């Protein structure tokens, strides 16, 4: 019935952005995502190390809670800029492996970062690949079952993923030098935005296939449950969330034919937030990277120069 639509539209107009102070928004965002207990030790176990022609690949597992271990791969280019570390956050699909595949919507963005000289940390987000629940092994992911369980405890799947990425930043901080940036695609871009908003260790952020108004994306059609955080619209629509990254660098890329996160809505969000650079390319829901990757490495290089002059 139309009255249901009218009711939801009225809620949207009434509730969006009712928290106006930046500090209060950040506090509310952290609370909405939920908190998780840290593992007592911050020590990653190396599973293997392989030498490729132009880079070294190492696989690790890092305890994040008493029960959870985060698998990730570290890619270090031969002769590259060891001062630029990029956290690569994959979207929906087969998991982290897609960020290494040319024929994926991810367009092998993790490998392209390595090829252009960055140290890349590619983790497997909870609910994908080897981190699915037993009951979901025949499914593409465990997002629905994980998210629905966590919501009953006042926690969220997005919050768990952000928490694990923050623990990875702890490990990076103890084992490596240099500035850290992140690039996320689609659902991984949501995690990148939330991480950058709540953790100032992220110095530059790229969001790909994302950043439309929620009104035009996750509220306009059926999306995965991992996109939904209780009370998020009261904290702010996408422009207000983008503003939380200020003054650190932000870049958004969007395909003109992206059916999940429409590019016209991305332009609206950017215009309203007055923060961030952008590349709008001919294409669909996919990573492009032609401008975003050089921008990210340049921003991390500028950060390093600034640190060197302090």
């Amino acid at each position: 019935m139309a009255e249901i639509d009218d009711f939801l539209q009225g809620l949207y107009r009434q509730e969006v952005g009712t928290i106006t102070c930046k500090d209060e928004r950040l506090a509310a965002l952290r609370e909405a995502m939920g908190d998780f207990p840290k593992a007592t030790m911050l020590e990653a176990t190396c599973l293997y190390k392989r030498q490729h022609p132009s880079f070294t690949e190492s696989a690790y597992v890092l305890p994040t809670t008493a029960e959870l271990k985060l698998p990730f791969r570290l890619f270090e280019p031969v002769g590259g800029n060891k001062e630029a570390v990029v956290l690569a956050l994959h979207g929906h699909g087969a998991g982290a492996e897609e960020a290494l595949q040319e024929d994926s919507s991810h367009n092998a963005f993790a490998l392209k970062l390595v090829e252009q000289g960055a140290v890349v940390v590619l983790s497997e987000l909870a609910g994908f690949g080897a981190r699915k629940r037993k009951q979901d092994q025949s499914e593409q992911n465990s997002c629905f079952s994980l998210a629905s369980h966590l919501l009953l405890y006042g926690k969220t799947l997005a919050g768990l993923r952000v928490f694990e990425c923050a623990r990875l930043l702890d490990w990076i901080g103890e084992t490596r030098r240099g500035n850290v940036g992140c690039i996320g695609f689609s659902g991984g871009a949501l995690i990148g935005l939330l991480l950058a908003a709540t953790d100032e260790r992220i110095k530059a952020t790229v969001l790909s296939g994302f950043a439309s108004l929620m009104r035009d994306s996750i509220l306009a059609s059926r999306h995965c449950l991992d996109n939904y955080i209780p009370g998020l619209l009261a904290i702010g629509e996408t422009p207000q969330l983008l503003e939380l990254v200020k003054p650190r660098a932000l870049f958004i890329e969007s395909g003109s034919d992206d059916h999940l996160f429409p590019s016209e809505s991305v332009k609206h969000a950017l215009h309203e937030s007055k923060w961030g650079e952008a590349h709008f390319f001919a294409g669909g829901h996919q990573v492009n990277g032609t401008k975003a990757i050089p921008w990210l490495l340049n921003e991390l290089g500028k950060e390093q120069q600034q640190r060197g002059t302090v």
Side-chain angles (χ1 to χ4, degrees), residues 82-100:
K82 300 297 180 67
E83 301 296 333
V85 182
V86 178
L87 194 58
L89 304 171
H90 65 85
H92 285 77
E97 195 64 30
E98 289 212 28
L100 305 171

Side-chain angles (χ1 to χ4, degrees), residues 34-79:
D35 61 343
F36 299 88
K38 293 181 180 180
T40 55
M41 299 291 290
L42 184 67
E43 185 174 346
T45 301
C46 185
L47 303 180
Y48 66 76
K49 189 171 185 176
R50 296 171 182 163
Q51 186 64 53
H52 299 270
S54 60
F55 62 88
T56 300
E57 173 189 356
S58 305
Y60 293 87
V61 289
L62 175 71
T64 55
T65 73
E67 300 83 12
L68 294 177
K69 293 181 176 65
L70 175 64
F72 67 93
R73 279 178 279 181
L74 178 69
F75 298 91
E76 300 178 273
V78 175

Side-chain angles (χ1 to χ4, degrees), residues 269-284:
L270 275 167
H271 176 75
E272 187 175 333
S273 69
K274 298 180 174 62
W275 189 247
E277 301 178 50
H279 175 211
F280 295 95
F281 60 90

Side-chain angles (χ1 to χ4, degrees), residues 20-222:
T20 57
C21 171
K22 181 177 181 179
D23 289 343
E24 291 178 2
R25 277 182 174 155
L26 283 171
L29 180 58
R30 291 187 176 100
E31 182 177 1
M33 289 192 295
D35 61 343
F36 299 88
K38 293 181 180 180
T40 55
M41 299 291 290
L42 184 67
E43 185 174 346
T45 301
C46 185
L47 303 180
Y48 66 76
K49 189 171 185 176
R50 296 171 182 163
Q51 186 64 53
H52 299 270
S54 60
F55 62 88
T56 300
E57 173 189 356
S58 305
Y60 293 87
V61 289
L62 175 71
T64 55
T65 73
E67 300 83 12
L68 294 177
K69 293 181 176 65
L70 175 64
F72 67 93
R73 279 178 279 181
L74 178 69
F75 298 91
E76 300 178 273
V78 175
N81 177 13
K82 300 297 180 67
E83 301 296 333
V85 182
V86 178
L87 194 58
L89 304 171
H90 65 85
H92 285 77
E97 195 64 30
E98 289 212 28
L100 305 171
Q101 297 171 349
E102 287 280 359
D103 59 351
S104 161
S105 58
H106 293 64
N107 198 19
F109 75 88
L111 278 184
K112 290 179 179 178
L113 278 160
V114 180
E115 290 168 357
Q116 295 188 39
V119 173
V120 174
V121 182
L122 175 63
S123 62
E124 188 87 84
L125 298 178
F128 295 102
R131 306 192 76 200
K132 291 188 293 187
R133 299 184 66 205
K134 288 182 180 180
Q135 69 182 48
D136 297 326
Q137 291 306 303
S138 63
E139 304 294 329
Q140 189 178 58
N141 59 63
S142 287
C143 293
F144 181 83
S145 60
L146 274 173
S148 55
H149 274 70
L150 289 168
L151 285 169
L152 293 178
Y153 303 111
K155 304 177 188 299
T156 65
L157 182 50
L160 175 61
R161 290 169 177 168
V162 170
F163 163 78
E164 290 199 308
C165 286
R167 291 301 283 161
L168 196 48
L169 290 178
D170 293 339
W171 180 83
I172 292 170
E174 287 198 0
T175 59
R176 308 198 62 84
R177 296 177 53 199
N179 290 305
V180 184
C182 72
I183 176 170
F185 169 60
S186 192
L190 170 65
I191 305 309
L193 174 57
L194 298 175
L195 180 66
T198 56
D199 199 318
E200 293 186 354
R201 291 176 293 181
I202 297 294
K203 302 301 182 184
T205 303
V206 171
L207 308 177
S208 178
F210 186 70
S212 300
L213 295 175
M214 286 180 261
R215 179 193 67 196
D216 301 324
S217 53
I218 67 170
L219 295 182
S221 60
R222 186 184 296 271

